[in-house]
Amino acid sequence: MSEQPDISIIMAIRNSEHYLAEALASIAAQNYPAIELIAVDGGSRDGGPSMVQNFPNARCIPQRGTGFTGAWNTGVQATRAPFIAFLDSDDIWAPEKLAGQMAVLRANPFADAVYGRVAFFLERGHALPSGFRPAVLEGTHLVPMPGVTLLRRGIVERLGSFDEKLSIASDIAWFAKLRDRATLAVFDQLVLRKRLHNSNLGHITPWPIFRGELLTLLKARVDGHRRAAAGANDA
């Protein structure tokens, strides 16, 4: 890859072969060509790394750190492009995702990031993760989260790394900071189909751990808003 890409796509893989072909096909179908894929391998024992190595404009690099957050942090450090996106190895992008969101950011130079809509779908024969409401499977949802967002490099650098002490809620914590500290734009179209299946991290992580991390984040967020309000009153 000699040409400078506009967008670096970060994907964590670890024994991801089963769904990876669909994720890669959705990248190949993007009508925006100036991209690179950085797959961060957490020690796969299947053919996933080889699939990435045979994909155009792709690198497969070993993961440093632990969990998907360690993979994402490794991937961010390896990016070259001024814009950054994340795609899970079992999810599917709509073909117009990158081109549409790049157009929004170019029309809004003061926006730090742009996000779109997600539709959740349950893999046939699999069960919903604990705590997941079946109603969420209906329609599409407009919410900042990894797979639906395109970010300028500057905001990623300002917000810093994903918290590797959190086993499952690190992306929630990071995107909460994004909502609080960034200027966001909206691309009001479906950009991501997010697959739910029995191997999802949300499925295999015990619900008490997930709930405990969410409560910790909620408390920290409330305390932060209280401190900000107190500082504003003192001023």
Side-chain angles (χ1 to χ4, degrees):
M1 283 184 295
S2 58
E3 295 184 1
Q4 174 73 21
D6 290 341
I7 302 171
S8 292
I9 302 162
I10 298 169
M11 177 185 289
I13 64 169
R14 185 174 184 272
N15 300 328
S16 303
E17 182 179 37
H18 188 63
Y19 300 117
L20 182 57
E22 288 185 82
L24 293 176
S26 77
I27 295 174
Q30 294 299 304
N31 48 13
Y32 193 92
I35 61 177
E36 67 169 354
L37 170 62
I38 300 171
V40 185
D41 180 31
S44 294
R45 298 181 179 180
D46 64 3
S50 295
M51 293 170 67
V52 172
Q53 289 165 358
N54 291 323
F55 192 77
N57 299 322
R59 289 180 281 160
C60 187
I61 62 176
Q63 176 178 335
R64 299 186 300 274
T66 59
F68 78 94
T69 53
W72 284 358
N73 287 335
T74 301
V76 168
Q77 292 169 8
T79 58
R80 303 186 299 149
F83 298 90
I84 295 172
F86 297 89
L87 178 63
D88 287 345
S89 61
D90 51 1
D91 291 342
I92 302 167
W93 271 343
E96 63 277 7
K97 194 268 187 192
L98 295 180
Q101 292 190 324
M102 281 292 289
V104 171
L105 287 180
R106 284 173 171 157
N108 296 272
F110 297 107
D112 297 301
V114 56
Y115 63 98
R117 290 188 174 273
V118 57
F120 294 88
F121 71 100
L122 181 62
E123 187 74 1
R124 185 184 298 274
H126 292 238
L128 287 174
S130 298
F132 193 96
R133 295 181 292 110
V136 177
L137 295 173
E138 301 173 5
T140 64
H141 309 276
L142 187 63
V143 56
M145 56 187 289
V148 305
T149 308
L150 181 63
L151 302 124
R152 296 189 193 273
R153 170 179 291 279
I155 189 63
V156 176
E157 292 174 346
R158 291 204 303 274
L159 294 184
S161 300
F162 293 88
D163 187 350
E164 295 182 33
K165 295 190 298 295
L166 297 171
S167 62
I168 189 170
S170 180
D171 57 334
I172 298 174
W174 198 92
F175 275 78
K177 290 194 297 183
L178 181 74
R179 291 193 297 271
D180 286 345
R181 304 179 191 179
T183 300
L184 302 180
V186 172
F187 179 60
D188 197 4
Q189 294 189 30
L190 176 65
V191 298
L192 177 71
R193 295 181 63 235
K194 188 158 189 65
R195 191 193 309 265
L196 303 174
H197 57 88
N198 291 347
S199 298
N200 284 134
L201 186 60
H203 202 110
I204 63 177
T205 301
W207 173 242
I209 293 177
F210 195 6
R211 182 177 56 192
E213 289 191 2
L214 290 177
L215 291 174
T216 298
L217 294 178
L218 179 60
K219 182 179 184 302
R221 188 171 173 82
V222 170
D223 289 346
H225 285 307
R226 286 175 175 168
R227 287 193 297 269
N233 290 335
D234 291 342

